[in-house]
Amino acid sequence: MRIVFAGTPDFAVPCLRAAARHQEVVAVYTQPDRPAGRGRGLMASPVKLEAIERGIPVFQPETLKDPAAQEQLRALQPDLMVVVAYGLILPRAVLEIPTHGCWNVHASLLPRWRGAAPIQRAIEAGDAETGVCLMQMEAGLDTGPVLLSQKTPISDSDTGGQLHDRLAELGAQVLADGLGLLRAGLKPVAQPQPEAGVTYAHKLDKAQARLDWNEDATALARRVRAFNPWPIAEASLAGERLRIHGAVPLADNQGKAPGTVLAASKDGIDIACGQGALRLRVVQREGGKSITAADYLNARRDLLAGV
């Protein structure tokens, strides 16, 4: 079987490894190198680095809408194209090139959380579970029928980064299962997505990471977890802007105004919210590293005096 793999970030690397297990990946498509880091030098994507290490040819077109790029893909004579967090739109002409079409590994239980940020939005919404779907791609945004899926629970302590890593490995497992069936001539049966339950996981925005103490503490705690490790929640505390890396909700705001410091100890800094309170456990001052609330209080003795 001749497989073309298309992906870009860390999330796609375990799937590339699964697809390349039997030396069937004849080419890797990934986004062009982008400026990154303080020096703004061009940096290769994680998928490109993995492909180079495996000796797989790499293609980096700016777009797949270009007829020349489509002809290049057609020349590879792919039986299947596997797409995982590629970041470029696949026009209908591309979807029709591989013999078995294009498969996509998506980090949600479709039709819930179609779109760009399904992992973070599932945590932010308080979903009890999520998972991965192996989907037969079509022209719509994550609308194709589902071939295989796997579920995983979301715990009250899962961060966006932890769930990302778990789903990346689960996605590789689902892809390996699907490829195994296809090799055996038992292509998974495509199940159309139900019309009910469609939700969209809109792209993350740094502005959404700013916490408002007037909101419910439980919702704020979920956002802190969802936006870790990026973009990291931010909030104002006693006149200082902090990044919040770890926090838990508490039931009682003691009838105090939102933003009031209720308690400050080695266990954390409790802030009154519109409903309940948020205990800050790991914070980061501007220009500093993430530290425990206890270490932060060593530099902010004024907070201890005020409660």
Side-chain angles (χ1 to χ4, degrees), residues 15-305:
C15 284
L16 173 54
R17 292 172 182 157
R21 198 169 294 157
H22 296 275
Q23 290 74 50
E24 295 167 317
V25 177
V26 296
V28 162
Y29 278 68
T30 191
Q31 287 202 38
D33 298 356
R34 307 292 188 194
R38 292 187 177 180
R40 305 306 292 165
L42 290 179
M43 183 172 291
S45 73
V47 163
K48 179 179 179 178
L49 295 176
E50 181 72 20
I52 290 172
E53 186 175 323
R54 292 175 173 271
I56 302 171
V58 176
F59 297 90
Q60 297 178 271
E62 288 284 353
T63 177
L64 289 177
K65 296 178 181 179
D66 181 6
Q70 294 175 14
E71 190 56 39
Q72 185 181 61
L73 175 61
R74 193 172 288 109
L76 293 168
Q77 298 181 310
D79 294 308
L80 177 71
M81 189 169 184
V82 174
V83 182
V84 187
Y86 181 29
L88 292 183
I89 294 173
L90 271 61
R92 186 181 298 277
V94 168
L95 298 176
E96 294 173 350
I97 290 173
T99 304
H100 297 290
C102 301
W103 287 1
N104 174 239
V105 175
H106 183 77
S108 80
L109 298 174
L110 294 167
R112 187 159 178 80
W113 302 125
R114 295 174 179 173
I119 298 172
Q120 296 85 355
R121 298 306 183 192
I123 294 175
E124 184 183 22
D127 290 2
E129 66 177 9
T130 186
V132 291
C133 285
L134 182 63
M135 179 187 69
Q136 185 80 48
M137 294 180 70
E138 57 182 35
L141 176 64
D142 300 330
T143 58
V146 174
L147 302 168
L148 296 171
S149 65
Q150 286 279 358
K151 297 180 179 180
T152 185
I154 302 176
S155 78
D156 290 339
S157 62
D158 275 333
T159 65
Q162 290 167 340
L163 190 56
H164 166 283
D165 293 350
R166 198 158 77 242
L167 290 175
E169 295 299 331
L170 200 60
Q173 178 185 321
V174 168
L175 175 60
D177 291 345
L179 291 175
L181 290 170
L182 188 58
R183 287 188 200 101
L186 302 170
K187 184 177 179 179
V189 178
Q191 301 290 336
Q193 294 183 36
E195 295 182 7
V198 174
T199 52
Y200 287 91
H202 296 289
K203 186 177 179 180
L204 297 183
D205 187 318
K206 283 189 175 182
Q208 298 169 354
R210 300 190 189 109
L211 303 186
D212 182 349
W213 299 125
N214 290 291
E215 294 185 44
D216 177 83
T218 299
L220 294 179
R222 291 200 300 257
R223 200 172 306 156
V224 169
R225 292 191 291 114
F227 292 175
N228 183 347
W230 194 88
I232 297 293
E234 294 184 354
S236 294
L237 174 62
E240 183 177 16
R241 174 70 68 177
L242 292 178
R243 302 182 86 191
I244 314 299
H245 290 261
V248 293
L250 304 174
D252 186 12
N253 64 9
Q254 301 178 21
K256 301 293 186 180
T260 303
V261 179
L262 303 177
S265 69
K266 62 181 180 61
D267 294 326
I269 304 166
D270 301 348
I271 312 296
C273 300
Q275 286 183 294
L278 192 67
R279 173 168 290 174
L280 311 184
R281 287 181 166 171
V282 182
V283 300
Q284 180 183 0
R285 305 184 83 173
E286 189 171 357
K289 299 179 179 179
S290 59
I291 56 176
T292 65
D295 287 338
Y296 174 71
L297 289 171
N298 288 333
R300 290 294 308 266
R301 309 300 293 183
D302 57 305
L303 292 178
L304 293 170

